[in-house]
Amino acid sequence: EQVTESLLSPQDSDTTIPIDETLQFNESLQSAHRGMDELIGSGTNILAGLRDQRVTLKGTHKKILDVANMLG
């Protein structure tokens, strides 16, 4: 019985795997990954919005120049 207990309980703490800490670390990594995905998605949407605004502003600028040229 003593031999069985000594085989089942690690004698050296360096050889044990901290399962709880590993799971918590993995969950933290997954959460960070999701956060980065959301951040990239937001950045992509912002960039698309800025591109749309650029197109709109270029069109407006052209119309203003056209009107200025007509007025002399």
Side-chain angles (χ1 to χ4, degrees):
E1 187 175 330
Q2 249 182 346
V3 172
T4 303
E5 284 181 25
S6 68
L7 288 174
L8 293 177
S9 61
Q11 299 298 316
D12 185 2
S13 63
D14 291 338
T15 62
T16 61
I17 300 173
I19 298 296
D20 289 340
E21 290 178 19
T22 303
L23 289 174
Q24 185 177 2
F25 181 71
N26 187 41
E27 289 172 7
S28 294
L29 281 178
Q30 288 177 353
S31 177
H33 188 110
R34 281 190 300 272
M36 288 304 296
D37 283 344
E38 290 173 9
L39 187 61
I40 290 170
S42 294
T44 301
N45 290 335
I46 289 169
L47 187 57
L50 288 172
R51 286 181 178 146
D52 290 344
Q53 287 180 20
R54 179 174 181 253
V55 169
T56 302
L57 288 173
K58 282 179 86 173
T60 304
H61 183 253
K62 184 180 180 324
K63 286 179 184 177
I64 290 172
L65 290 177
D66 289 345
V67 168
N69 285 333
M70 277 193 330
L71 295 176

